[in-house]
Amino acid sequence: MPQFSLTVNNNKYDVDAPADMPLLWVLRDLLNMTGTKYGCGVASCGVCSVIIDGNPVFSCQRTVGSCVNKKIITIEGLSTDGSHPVQKAWEQAGVPQCGYCQPGQMMQVVAMLEKNKRPSEETIDQVMNNVLCRCGTYHRIRKAIHLAIDSLNS
Ligand code: FES
Ligand code: FES
């Protein structure tokens, strides 16, 4: 099997995998980074979101072969102690119910705020549309996004 060198959360990893293996499986099954979740596998739910070179990406839709020489950030890469402003805002707003969609939600929000620390409501709506939550935590997600924005701009 071909070997690919990946940069995930600022660390280098060599993985043996078919070139068309989805990044999601590489993260979860080969690198044991199980924070990134599988929902649909067909780009419909967004719970598998990670950040690649600053952009939010559905990891079920990216092959390992396309991720070489890219900078991949997963939920594990935000902080080791929950101190990232988005993680703190999520905790403060008590967002998660079952929690399954929350890594994907947070990665979408982190990518948005890294590009724009004062996003419009329209931009926030667009980002929130990218990830589905069966538990319906949208109201709290919006509250947490605003807490994170306040924190980043204070
Ligand atoms: S698992 Fe990737 S979009 Fe649903
Ligand atoms: S918190 Fe349960 S799916 Fe979103």
Side-chain angles (χ1 to χ4, degrees):
M1 241 180 297
Q3 190 170 69
F4 298 95
S5 178
L6 300 181
T7 304
V8 185
N9 301 331
N10 297 315
N11 294 312
K12 290 254 185 217
Y13 298 91
D14 292 326
V15 295
D16 292 317
D20 61 352
M21 179 182 270
L23 175 63
L24 176 59
W25 301 138
V26 173
L27 294 171
R28 290 183 56 84
D29 294 347
L30 303 185
L31 300 179
N32 200 30
M33 295 180 191
T34 54
T36 306
K37 304 303 186 200
Y38 168 73
C40 66
V42 293
S44 291
C45 74
V47 304
C48 64
S49 295
V50 299
I51 298 172
I52 300 182
D53 288 347
N55 298 308
V57 169
F58 294 170
S59 61
C60 71
Q61 298 299 303
R62 287 295 293 265
T63 62
V64 61
S66 75
C67 292
V68 174
N69 296 324
K70 310 278 187 195
K71 187 176 170 189
I72 302 161
I73 305 292
T74 71
I75 188 76
E76 290 89 351
L78 295 191
S79 74
T80 55
D81 58 359
S83 62
H84 187 285
V86 168
Q87 290 174 306
K88 284 166 66 173
W90 245 245
E91 188 176 6
Q92 198 178 337
V95 178
Q97 290 190 33
C98 81
Y100 196 81
C101 73
Q102 299 303 324
Q105 303 279 8
M106 283 193 274
M107 298 313 285
Q108 289 278 339
V109 171
V110 168
M112 171 181 71
L113 295 178
E114 284 182 354
K115 286 182 195 294
N116 179 1
K117 287 192 171 53
R118 295 183 192 274
S120 65
E121 285 301 311
E122 192 180 6
T123 300
I124 293 171
D125 288 346
Q126 284 170 358
V127 167
M128 289 178 67
N129 280 340
N130 289 336
V131 185
L132 300 179
C133 176
R134 282 171 179 258
C135 301
T137 63
Y138 300 112
H139 182 72
R140 290 183 189 176
I141 290 168
R142 186 177 296 278
K143 183 177 174 189
I145 291 172
H146 283 287
L147 287 170
I149 291 169
D150 290 347
S151 162
L152 287 167
N153 290 293
S154 63

